Amino acid sequence: MSGEGGLDALLDAIARASGLSPRDDWADQASRGLEHIAVRRGTTVEALKREPATWPSLLPELLDHLTVRETFFFRHNGHFDFLVDALHARLSADPLAGACVLSAGCATGEEPYSIAIAVHARLGANALARVRILGSDISPEAIRRARAAVYGAWAFREAPAWLSASYFRRGEGTSAEVADLVRRAVNFDVGHVVHHAATLPAASVDAVFFRNVAIYLSPSVIVDAYREFHRVLRPGGLLIVAPADPRPNTAFFADVGHDSTSIYRARAPGFEPDQPVPSSRRGRGPRSSRAGHAAVGRPTRASVRAAPARAAAPARP
């Protein structure tokens, strides 16, 4: 097995193992990745392609060439407002209750760290201590970078103006490192979105962020992911996707009517899916402002949402 035939078979194996839907540029991206791997391993690209027994070990490294990790802090700001409102209601209703938020397909960690910052900024340290935040991604390199928690200026291009003062410290050059109080609030794991969710107990999660991930997955994996998220979410728990993502099955989830058209509540158990996953449709996007209340001395919901078109890396607090 050699040449394009070997590469095609390798890409098929990667697609099956990862659940990703192959893109037109996969062959070129995989070829570049194989060249790097071959140099590190002291072998040749052809040798890697013709030895199927070694393919599972190639997957983690090739994923970094085949996946798109386009993410930044406070992407789709309105989603964080909606989440914090829901968490505030839950934590206020029961002083002993905790909460759990899952960021599935979290890439390099900007999303789960944004969740932690939004909770702390609006609700305070005591509330953040009661919220368990989980981040998972299939790429070991992405999770390594998430745990390192060091970001360049591009990751802050839509960050709120108040973000830098309390939540980052200056790193080398233009980089910034997430503050310890935020890092401690997030736990990261390497794993396929479906397989990782399957490790969580039923009805144990209050919200799942699954944004700009499903658009890269095969239809069958999307169905499995939404089914698993419905299982782990408490009845009424939130599924938050991106405006361009495929819609979840309405037998499992009800649209809350948010302007982004991408926030859903989990229906109570007992429904059986009988609909295919609809094709992607783009929503109108989050509103630019919305009135609300916040703890005294903390950023308001409007200030959490307000973001400059391009923000520099945070200054040292």
Side-chain angles (χ1 to χ4, degrees):
M1 183 181 295
S2 62
E4 290 304 314
L7 181 59
D8 288 344
L10 172 58
L11 293 178
D12 286 343
I14 291 173
R16 289 194 301 272
S18 66
L20 295 170
S21 181
R23 302 192 314 272
D24 292 340
D25 64 348
W26 262 31
D28 290 339
Q29 297 296 334
S31 295
R32 295 190 188 97
L34 287 171
E35 290 173 2
H36 290 294
I37 296 170
V39 170
R40 284 197 298 272
R41 296 189 180 187
T43 185
T44 66
V45 170
E46 289 303 317
L48 292 174
K49 289 192 291 188
R50 66 171 176 259
E51 297 177 9
T54 68
W55 290 354
S57 69
L58 299 178
L59 177 61
E61 295 180 78
L62 281 178
L63 281 174
D64 292 318
H65 295 271
L66 299 178
T67 54
V68 178
R69 294 200 298 264
E70 170 60 19
T71 185
F72 45 86
F73 285 97
F74 284 91
R75 188 178 189 179
H76 304 305
N77 279 351
H79 290 167
F80 299 97
D81 281 344
F82 199 96
L83 170 70
V84 174
D85 284 345
L87 293 176
H88 181 258
R90 174 170 173 77
L91 299 178
S92 298
D94 183 353
L96 299 180
C100 179
V101 181
L102 169 63
S103 172
C106 69
T108 47
E110 288 92 327
E111 180 176 270
Y113 285 137
S114 294
I115 292 168
I117 291 168
V119 172
H120 186 275
R122 285 270 312 281
L123 305 181
N126 289 338
L128 181 59
R130 296 166 62 190
V131 179
R132 182 186 182 204
I133 302 171
L134 308 175
S136 71
D137 198 274
I138 196 172
S139 168
E141 174 60 18
I143 293 299
R144 184 197 67 77
R145 291 174 59 186
R147 288 171 174 156
V150 176
Y151 299 94
W154 189 239
F156 301 94
R157 59 190 180 275
E158 291 191 9
W162 51 264
L163 185 66
S164 63
S166 301
Y167 299 108
F168 291 85
R169 54 179 174 265
R170 176 69 66 186
E172 295 183 4
T174 60
S175 68
E177 183 177 356
V178 178
D180 289 342
L181 70 90
V182 177
R183 294 178 69 170
R184 288 194 298 266
V186 183
N187 293 297
F188 292 102
D189 286 304
V190 176
H192 186 289
V193 291
V194 177
H195 302 160
H196 178 265
T199 67
L200 302 176
S204 64
V205 176
D206 294 271
V208 174
F209 275 59
F210 188 53
R211 307 186 306 167
N212 301 296
V213 179
I215 53 176
Y216 300 110
L217 300 178
S218 67
S220 63
V221 174
I222 296 171
V223 170
D224 290 344
Y226 285 150
R227 186 193 300 269
E228 196 59 39
F229 295 151
H230 180 262
R231 183 190 68 82
V232 303
L233 280 166
R234 296 185 175 94
L238 301 177
L239 172 66
I240 301 176
V241 300
D245 283 326
R247 305 298 93 182
N249 193 308
T250 56
F252 284 159
F253 295 97
D255 192 327
V256 303
H258 188 261
D259 270 7
S260 70
T261 69
S262 55
I263 301 179
Y264 299 84
R265 289 196 184 278
R267 298 186 186 274
F271 293 89
E272 286 297 329
D274 57 3
Q275 306 170 24
V277 175
S279 59
S280 300
R281 62 180 177 87
R282 186 172 296 277
R284 290 171 288 169
R287 282 181 288 187
S288 59
S289 64
R290 186 172 63 187
H293 301 284
V296 175
R298 298 192 177 277
T300 64
R301 292 170 61 190
S303 70
V304 170
R305 298 174 65 86
R310 177 77 176 270
R316 185 187 299 275

